[in-house]
Amino acid sequence: MLRTHTTLAAALVALLATPALTVAAMAQETRATATAKLDSEFAASDTNKDGYLSLAELEGRMAKMKIRGKALDAVHAKRVAALVMARGDLDKDGRLSRAESDQLMGAVFSAYDLNHDGKVDAAEAARARAMADGVAKGGAAPKK
């Protein structure tokens, strides 16, 4: 189960590695502020404004983002989008709702907030950066 959350967390860090929510900024994020930023990112990624993210919308967002200053190549952007969709699309309708996105964010936040204090501290953020780097390079996320 931890490996699933770790891989999911790495994928969502890649999704969130945008000006709206950087991994470095997560050192000062609470669950509420991270969720609010994800909601904003969701709205920006929902290009057809139907309230859902399609795989194409996720792929489009991934293609525009950067992790630590480096853009994901098309293959890895597609891979991360597919992983986010596979883990987040709970009803398997081929799209990610805001509720599914929020649930995914909750799982990721819990995976990072190792001491369960409601914040992601500097050490926890460093672990998130390592996961994001692994995803950006196409490798597996580091194990706990």
Side-chain angles (χ1 to χ4, degrees):
M1 184 71 161
L2 177 62
R3 181 161 169 72
T4 299
H5 282 299
T6 301
T7 304
L8 170 60
L12 202 54
V13 163
L15 174 63
L16 297 175
T18 65
L21 177 63
T22 64
V23 176
M26 287 183 71
Q28 298 163 31
E29 288 292 348
T30 65
R31 182 179 300 272
T33 59
T35 299
K37 289 177 182 178
L38 181 66
D39 285 346
S40 176
E41 185 62 30
F42 184 100
S45 300
D46 182 14
T47 57
N48 67 1
K49 305 302 178 202
D50 68 352
Y52 296 90
L53 297 182
S54 67
L55 186 57
E57 287 169 324
L58 282 172
E59 287 175 11
R61 184 65 192 130
M62 298 302 155
K64 294 177 185 174
M65 63 170 223
K66 293 184 179 183
I67 296 177
R68 297 181 81 174
K70 185 176 179 183
L72 283 179
D73 61 62
V75 170
H76 290 110
K78 190 171 188 165
R79 180 177 163 209
V80 170
L83 183 56
V84 168
M85 184 64 74
R87 299 291 191 255
D89 182 17
L90 300 175
D91 62 7
K92 304 301 179 202
D93 66 353
R95 56 191 187 163
L96 195 65
S97 70
R98 182 154 319 220
E100 289 169 327
S101 175
D102 287 346
Q103 188 167 358
L104 187 61
M105 180 64 212
V108 170
F109 196 92
S110 293
Y112 287 155
D113 184 16
L114 299 175
N115 63 4
H116 309 292
D117 66 353
K119 297 180 282 189
V120 175
D121 64 28
E124 292 162 335
R127 183 172 181 255
R129 277 192 300 278
M131 284 185 226
D133 286 345
V135 170
K137 293 175 184 171
K143 293 182 181 178
K144 183 175 179 181

